[in-house]
Amino acid sequence: MSRGNVKRHVLEKSRGFKEKEKPNPSFLSRHLKKVYPFVLNKSTSSLSLSSLSLSLSQNSNDSPLADSISPLDQKTPLSLRRIVPPEKKEVPVPVAKNVQQHSLDSSGGDLKRCNWITKNSDKVYVLFHDEHWGVPVDEDNQLFELLSMAGMLMDYNWTEILKRKELLRETFAGFDPNTVAKMGEKEITEIASNKALMLAESRVRCIVDNAKCILKIVREYGSFSCFLWGYVNDTPIINRYRYPRHVPLRSPKSEAISRDLLKRGFRLVGPVIVYAFMQAAGMTIDHLVDCFRFSECASLAEMPLSRTSSMNMY
């Protein structure tokens, strides 16, 4: 082989080696799909846990999370956004977004509420937050009412339930356990057929059965209040959460109370429902620290229970 041919052969061999080093686009694409699949599997649940807390119980139009995701982000698969980052732009953190409902108090200043109270929140929902949610309750009828309403969160949000509060009280005799426990088949059927209440017969039966269970606890502990508040040593748990993402849906205390209630025959008392009940009954103070109600409820939590129950007037 001549010297020129040898040189040409070496150049061609070198060029061919470099071409082999180039990645094959189709090969790379196949392996990327194994690591980052572009089709996401949708997970569904029979119960949306976010509907059970006051802080997360309203629809998307009433949530600060709804307007923090752009239409483009909604259409772009999550896995693709991880590989190809979107254009850098200022996007507020959804859970820390400072959304607040403004209203004037007697001094003319703005009231800062928990972030989940928005301009779209219903008045009955805002009133519940401002006057009742987080106020310690130790009266048996009120506790029974709040436990029943928390159980309804399986089907409705707080706003829908609160709008029927007076009708519920009238139907269930002010949630007097002694009266409700005596309701028979005819009364249960009539209540279930009331279209204004929108309570399924199975839900009505749960309330009646729970009333019977409460009477057993009263005979054992003296009151339903003594039984429940014993779990927190008669002292509300004061949390100091700054952002909604810090507020839990359940806690070790709610899990313990739930287990005990279930053993005693109660229904619709899972740990998430029990925690929503504890928040409403003031057994745990979950107002955000910058909410005007935090300091007020924390002050009430320091008073004896017999004094706070009369203040609640729920």
Side-chain angles (χ1 to χ4, degrees):
M1 183 180 294
S2 66
R3 190 171 180 178
N5 290 337
V6 170
K7 185 176 182 180
R8 185 169 57 253
H9 177 71
V10 171
L11 289 173
E12 290 176 353
K13 188 174 181 181
S14 175
R15 188 183 301 111
F17 178 75
K18 290 182 179 179
E19 289 177 353
K20 288 181 181 179
E21 285 182 336
K22 293 182 179 180
N24 186 329
S26 61
F27 175 83
L28 182 60
S29 177
R30 285 199 306 272
H31 283 270
L32 272 178
K33 287 183 179 181
K34 291 179 181 179
V35 181
Y36 300 103
F38 291 155
V39 179
L40 301 179
N41 294 323
K42 295 182 178 180
S43 61
T44 58
S45 172
S46 59
L47 171 62
S48 174
L49 296 182
S50 64
S51 68
L52 300 180
S53 173
L54 181 70
S55 59
L56 301 170
S57 68
Q58 304 306 298
N59 57 41
S60 59
N61 293 330
D62 195 25
S63 171
L65 299 176
D67 52 7
S68 62
I69 302 176
S70 67
L72 178 61
D73 289 339
Q74 292 175 350
K75 295 180 180 179
T76 307
L78 176 60
S79 53
L80 184 58
R81 279 183 267 141
R82 286 176 177 171
I83 300 173
V84 185
E87 294 182 6
K88 192 173 181 179
K89 56 184 179 179
E90 293 297 326
V91 179
V93 180
V95 291
K97 189 177 180 182
N98 189 19
V99 179
Q100 55 181 307
Q101 172 78 15
H102 292 284
S103 66
L104 296 178
D105 61 14
S106 57
S107 62
D110 288 336
L111 294 178
K112 175 64 186 295
R113 295 182 170 90
C114 294
N115 290 22
W116 50 82
I117 299 296
T118 74
K119 62 181 180 180
N120 297 322
S121 298
D122 192 281
K123 290 181 179 180
V124 69
Y125 179 65
V126 178
L127 182 65
F128 183 58
H129 166 274
D130 288 359
E131 297 185 5
H132 307 297
W133 197 70
V135 175
V137 175
D138 74 335
E139 200 277 324
D140 280 9
N141 290 21
Q142 294 177 11
L143 290 169
F144 180 31
E145 174 179 307
L146 288 174
L147 184 64
S148 300
M149 292 171 67
M152 295 175 198
L153 289 169
M154 290 285 289
D155 305 308
Y156 306 104
N157 62 36
W158 274 114
T159 296
E160 295 167 330
I161 296 168
L162 291 168
K163 285 182 176 180
R164 302 196 294 271
K165 181 181 65 178
E166 294 305 324
L167 183 56
L168 287 166
R169 285 177 174 174
E170 181 182 346
T171 301
F172 292 103
F175 285 90
D176 177 10
N178 292 286
T179 303
V180 177
K182 296 175 182 177
M183 288 183 173
E185 289 297 322
K186 182 180 178 181
E187 291 168 294
I188 292 174
T189 303
E190 289 177 352
I191 294 172
S193 62
N194 188 330
K195 294 182 179 180
L197 278 175
M198 293 190 294
L199 280 180
E201 184 175 320
S202 60
R203 303 306 192 213
V204 179
R205 291 186 183 279
C206 285
I207 294 174
V208 174
D209 290 344
N210 287 351
K212 296 176 182 178
C213 294
I214 288 175
L215 294 183
K216 293 180 182 178
I217 287 178
V218 171
R219 288 194 289 270
E220 183 178 352
Y221 288 85
S223 71
F224 190 41
S225 175
C226 288
F227 166 77
L228 289 172
W229 281 97
Y231 272 95
V232 292
N233 297 320
D234 294 326
T235 304
I237 300 169
I238 303 176
N239 295 312
R240 290 173 172 80
Y241 300 125
R242 186 167 297 278
Y243 303 116
R245 67 171 177 267
H246 296 153
V247 182
L249 287 174
R250 59 199 290 170
S251 71
K253 289 290 184 184
S254 74
E255 291 171 356
I257 295 173
S258 172
R259 284 194 299 269
D260 199 349
L261 291 176
L262 288 170
K263 287 180 181 178
R264 295 172 181 274
F266 282 79
R267 301 164 65 185
L268 289 181
V269 288
V272 178
I273 287 176
V274 169
Y275 193 74
F277 159 74
M278 292 175 67
Q279 291 174 317
M283 293 180 70
T284 178
I285 310 300
D286 279 357
H287 284 284
L288 301 184
V289 291
D290 58 354
C291 173
F292 83 98
R293 285 295 286 164
F294 172 78
S295 58
E296 296 178 359
C297 288
S299 296
L300 290 175
E302 297 174 356
M303 298 181 183
L305 290 175
S306 59
R307 292 173 61 188
T308 61
S309 61
S310 60
M311 290 182 177
N312 186 42
M313 297 181 66
Y314 178 72

